[in-house]
């Protein structure tokens, strides 16, 4: 199933349907009997996926020789911030990326707060 899922995603990508390709490859679908569950990050992604779902189902049913396959879309909008960043944390991260930011800060007399 995963091979055909990936093949269909690549086929869509080659045709220029990059959004649908990324939705198909965003995470691995879960097969439970004949029901394939895919988890998407938001309702907008679900709407995009639903509009192209019939082509995917047709591809999977034909290549897997199973006409009972259905796809269930689960929206998981729960995003928990692991850490809240303050100004000093942001500055430290930027300083790691480019140490010259300290020169910029001192030249223009900028304060972190």
């Amino acid at each position: 199933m995963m091979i055909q899922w990936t093949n269909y995603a690549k086929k869509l990508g080659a045709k220029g349907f990059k959004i649908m390709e990324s939705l198909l490859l965003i995470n691995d679908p879960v097969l439970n009997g004949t029901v394939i569950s895919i988890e998407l990050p938001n309702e907008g992604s679900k709407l995009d996926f639903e509009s192209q779902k019939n082509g995917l189902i047709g591809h999977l049913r034909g290549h897997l020789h199973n006409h009972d396959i259905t796809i269930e879309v689960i929206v998981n909008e729960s995003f928990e911030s692991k850490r809240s960043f303050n100004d000093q944390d942001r500055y430290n991260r930027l300083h790691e990326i480019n140490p010259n930011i300290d020169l910029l800060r001192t030249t223009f007399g900028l304060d972190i707060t």
Side-chain angles (χ1 to χ4, degrees):
M1 189 270 307
M2 282 302 300
I3 292 171
Q4 291 304 322
W5 186 277
T6 306
N7 287 346
Y8 188 75
K10 289 179 183 176
K11 185 171 101 174
L12 286 177
K15 289 182 178 179
F17 295 101
K18 297 292 185 183
I19 293 174
M20 186 61 181
E21 177 188 21
S22 67
L23 290 176
L24 289 171
L25 300 176
I26 199 165
N27 60 21
D28 291 338
V30 177
L31 180 62
N32 186 10
T34 59
V35 177
I36 300 170
S37 298
I38 180 83
E39 189 172 305
L40 297 175
N42 56 45
E43 285 293 327
S45 298
K46 180 180 178 181
L47 291 174
D48 289 340
F49 184 86
E50 294 283 342
S51 69
Q52 301 291 323
K53 184 170 83 169
N54 290 335
L56 174 62
I57 290 174
H59 176 83
L60 292 174
R61 286 178 178 173
H63 284 85
L64 299 176
H65 306 290
N66 185 344
H67 294 282
D68 297 328
I69 292 175
T70 58
I71 297 177
E72 173 187 34
V73 180
I74 301 167
V75 176
N76 184 3
E77 291 187 11
S78 63
F79 175 75
E80 298 177 12
S81 178
K82 296 179 183 176
R83 180 178 169 198
S84 62
F85 293 101
N86 61 24
D87 293 336
Q88 185 65 46
D89 292 333
R90 289 186 192 108
Y91 174 77
N92 291 340
R93 176 66 180 131
L94 289 173
H95 190 268
E96 288 175 13
I97 295 171
N98 187 354
N100 290 330
I101 199 163
D102 193 39
L103 176 64
L104 179 70
R105 186 181 64 80
T106 56
T107 301
F108 291 105
L110 300 174
D111 192 13
I112 296 173
T113 58

